[in-house]
Amino acid sequence: MTIRITRPASGTARAAAAAMAFAVALAGMALPGRVDAATSETHSSVPAEVHLITAENGVAPGRETVSAGLDVQLKDGWKTYWRSPGEVGIAPSIDWEGSENVEGVEFLWPAPDRFRAFGIENFGYKHEVVFPLSVTLKEPGEPVRLNASVNMLVCSDVCVPENFTLSLVLPAGSGIDTDAAARIATFARTVPAEGEGTGIKVEGAHVDNDAKTLTASLRSDTPFTNPDVFPEMGDLASFGTPDIRLDDEGRSLWVQFPVLSSSDEQKPLQLTVVDGERAATLEAGLSDAPLAPPYEQKQAAVGLGELAWIALIALIGGLILNVMPCVLPVLSIKLSSAVKGQGQSLSRIRGGFLMSALGVLAFMWVLATATLIARSVGLSVGWGLQFQNPLFLTVMIVVLVLFAANLFGVFEINLPSSWQTRMARADGEPGYAGDFATGAFAAVLATPCSAPFLGTAVAFALSGRPMDIFVIFTALGVGLALPYFAVAAKPGLVRRLPKPGKWMLLVKVALGGLLALTATWLFWVLAGVAGQRAAMIVGLLLLAAVGLLMIRKLGALRWGAVTVLALGALAVPMVMQPGAALDAPAEKTQWVAFDRGDIARRVSSGEVVFVDVTADWCLTCKANKALVIERNPVAEALASDGVTPMQADWTRPDPSISRYLESFGRFGIPFNAVYGPGAPEGVVLPELLSADAVLEAIEKAARSKVATN
């Protein structure tokens, strides 16, 4: 037997009709001889008690519909979900297979409440709810049997799937249970109405180009009092906490939602407005024009003292960058600066290192300006995001390879005499342009790294005013340039190096090797960002360019041999698939792909989830993995039962990862957090991991916590 089951995606006109049917049932209270209505057996569990109820004790002659309800009594701290549950959750459903004399059942949804679980907005019900059921009979006036196979999810700090069957038989007859009828009618009145008769209409709705923000404007015939709005755009779409604003009269409502995830389904936007006892579901057509808020948006200003304190934190973070794992590509540049200072006057050494420091600051100012421009056009901003850009990576690779080849003595670039004259001092010493470029380039290569204090400073800057961005980025630059400032203050330090000799040739080769290693790393990053083919093309073109520059210095045979060796060396990183490092047998950790909703689902079933946001270009991330995550005892803890290691790869731009980081006020990586029944909102770990910190967070997250709300 096939039964028509209607589970509308929104409140419908039939909901109002059903509510009227319940009112008609209530009118039957005047009938003499009240008789208790039929109910099903009760499904009892730790979270809830559920049973079927009906307003009628029997099916009256000629009756075409029966008014029923799924009555759910939730224990303290437990909740169940609305038809659109949010980013996490499952809406209740009923299979009526096995029912008799049933043409179809319409499942109606009372207006939901908003609650927060696992750091995510969810919509549903707590304490109690009755889902009104309008049962259409195949044969009016004849007995009916309801057989309901119920699937529902109830959650506190853990989630319990409830699967059970309820049965209820209504014989032919009459009679009304006033208590059951009143209970069904009470919840039926909260089912959102729809259409023009609601007194509320949508004036406009807009989703921005990046699908990051939904904005809507509504108007009510009577003033709003305490409204809430629940958007729906397909089963997979989810939204964050709304920003709701009313005008002075309270009749116009403007609301803005962060879009957490979008749906591939092309379903129209629906907005359910709940305001006290009023509830309405309205369809909203999307417009191309943004909707201006009914207020003037102003950036909250911070005090001078707070700004100075964050600037100090930024300076310390910039200084610590000098000793982070990303020091490998930067170290060679700084050592090169010191070696170049041999034999120069103290004033020239001081000036050169000051110009290098100015190069660091100049790059930070350029980065601050680019951040403001990107933010003004609605783009995501973050620390080190330029390493997600293939063009930027290509330029860096070209510069590094040419520098390395020059240090190896493969070729020498002789500038035109007029250029050399302009770039030289009167005393014949080289000019400052190279020193400036050295500092700027060192700053560029330091940006994929994160350090203690750096995350706090960057988050403050990127969420603040333009002045805050420039102050904090300047402080970061000063911290990163402090070694240059130190040598400029004491230029005699350079004189203490050994006198020029053959050792300088060894130093040049070593520095060239460091730069070559950095170029190889960036080739691997480029393969992950743009693909193997693009990286191979860049490598071949670069080798050809180097070959043309060196052909004058080496004979044809030697040049050919060097080219073959270089191509062989280049082929090693190129044959690696993007992300192959994650699947390498040497790794002990079996990662699952990042899914923000899956975090809550796993935690709700009692698991601990360790989240690692990483990227191929993040050297601090690689150091954390090599020194902590992939070593015992952390590796053993992540491989144990009940613990799920989840990795978010940010090598390429990913809006879902960006939004996840922003929810913690973070704009850079590495980022690690541990979730569990004892820490549903997550325990955030420091940028530099330690085994003790990770194990302590896992232990804390694994503890059970009794729900209190």
Side-chain angles (χ1 to χ4, degrees), residues 455-646:
T456 300
V458 170
F460 176 86
L462 297 183
S463 60
R465 303 163 296 174
M467 183 183 74
D468 300 331
I469 291 178
F470 274 97
V471 169
I472 300 307
F473 276 64
T474 299
L476 282 171
V478 171
L480 185 59
L482 273 180
Y484 293 117
F485 284 122
V487 177
K490 295 286 186 180
L493 293 173
V494 175
R495 295 284 184 87
R496 296 183 182 179
L497 291 173
K499 292 182 179 181
K502 292 183 178 180
W503 67 272
M504 293 185 65
L505 296 177
L506 297 176
V507 170
K508 288 181 65 177
V509 172
L511 297 180
L514 289 174
L515 292 178
L517 285 174
T518 305
T520 302
W521 161 60
L522 288 180
F523 265 119
W524 185 71
V525 174
L526 181 62
V529 172
Q532 286 188 45
R533 180 174 297 179
M536 179 64 78
I537 292 173
V538 170
L540 291 175
L541 291 176
L542 186 55
L543 284 172
V546 172
L548 290 175
L549 290 171
M550 64 186 287
I551 195 169
R552 292 182 179 179
K553 192 163 186 177
L554 295 176
L557 181 60
R558 294 177 62 191
W559 177 79
V562 170
T563 303
V564 170
L565 290 174
L567 284 171
L570 180 64
V572 173
M574 289 302 98
V575 296
M576 296 175 62
Q577 294 284 346
L582 297 180
D583 304 322
E587 282 203 356
K588 299 179 181 179
T589 306
Q590 300 298 312
W591 299 99
V592 300
F594 174 77
D595 182 342
R596 188 175 182 180
D598 193 38
I599 296 173
R601 287 188 286 271
R602 290 178 180 274
V603 171
S604 67
S605 63
E607 292 185 36
V608 172
V609 180
F610 174 84
V611 177
D612 177 38
V613 184
T614 185
D616 290 345
W617 42 264
C618 176
L619 292 177
T620 310
C621 304
K622 302 299 182 185
N624 281 338
K625 181 182 293 184
L627 300 177
V628 178
I629 297 175
E630 293 296 334
R631 288 189 176 184
N632 293 330
V634 173
E636 288 182 348
L638 296 180
S640 60
D641 293 337
V643 178
T644 300
M646 181 178 291

Side-chain angles (χ1 to χ4, degrees), residues 152-178:
M152 61 187 301
L153 186 69
V154 287
C155 297
S156 61
D157 288 324
V158 297
C159 288
V160 178
E162 299 276 350
N163 303 302
F164 51 90
T165 299
L166 302 174
S167 296
L168 183 152
V169 176
L170 279 179
S174 61
I176 298 294
D177 184 315
T178 57

Side-chain angles (χ1 to χ4, degrees), residues 312-342:
L312 177 61
I313 291 176
L315 188 146
I316 296 173
L319 178 61
I320 295 176
L321 272 180
N322 287 283
V323 295
M324 294 298 291
C326 45
V327 73
L328 177 65
V330 179
L331 178 62
S332 60
I333 297 174
K334 293 184 177 179
L335 288 175
S336 178
S337 298
V339 172
K340 188 173 62 176
Q342 285 287 327

Side-chain angles (χ1 to χ4, degrees), residues 1-181:
M1 175 181 64
T2 302
I3 298 175
R4 176 173 54 85
I5 302 175
T6 305
R7 292 185 57 224
S10 66
T12 65
R14 298 183 63 183
M20 291 176 61
F22 296 131
V24 171
L26 282 176
M29 291 188 297
L31 295 175
R34 172 198 158 184
V35 182
D36 288 343
T39 62
S40 71
E41 67 278 14
T42 298
H43 167 76
S44 296
S45 63
V46 172
E49 293 185 351
V50 187
H51 63 284
L52 287 172
I53 60 174
T54 60
E56 300 93 347
N57 185 58
V59 182
R63 186 75 182 220
E64 296 181 350
T65 61
V66 171
S67 302
L70 181 68
D71 193 331
V72 181
Q73 298 284 334
L74 295 160
K75 305 294 178 62
D76 287 344
W78 293 89
K79 308 172 183 68
T80 194
Y81 293 95
W82 187 45
R83 64 169 179 256
S84 180
E87 192 173 5
V88 177
I90 301 173
S93 63
I94 300 179
D95 185 350
W96 296 99
E97 192 68 28
S99 298
E100 298 175 2
N101 193 27
V102 175
E103 177 69 23
V105 180
E106 184 168 13
F107 191 113
L108 304 177
W109 302 90
D113 291 323
R114 181 184 302 274
F115 51 87
R116 186 175 177 87
F118 314 110
I120 299 173
E121 296 285 316
N122 295 277
F123 316 136
Y125 313 94
K126 54 187 176 181
H127 305 312
E128 63 176 359
V129 63
V130 175
F131 296 102
L133 306 169
S134 179
V135 183
T136 302
L137 306 182
K138 283 186 175 180
E139 300 179 14
E142 296 298 319
V144 61
R145 173 186 174 86
L146 298 177
N147 190 73
S149 297
V150 182
N151 295 303
M152 61 187 301
L153 186 69
V154 287
C155 297
S156 61
D157 288 324
V158 297
C159 288
V160 178
E162 299 276 350
N163 303 302
F164 51 90
T165 299
L166 302 174
S167 296
L168 183 152
V169 176
L170 279 179
S174 61
I176 298 294
D177 184 315
T178 57
D179 292 338

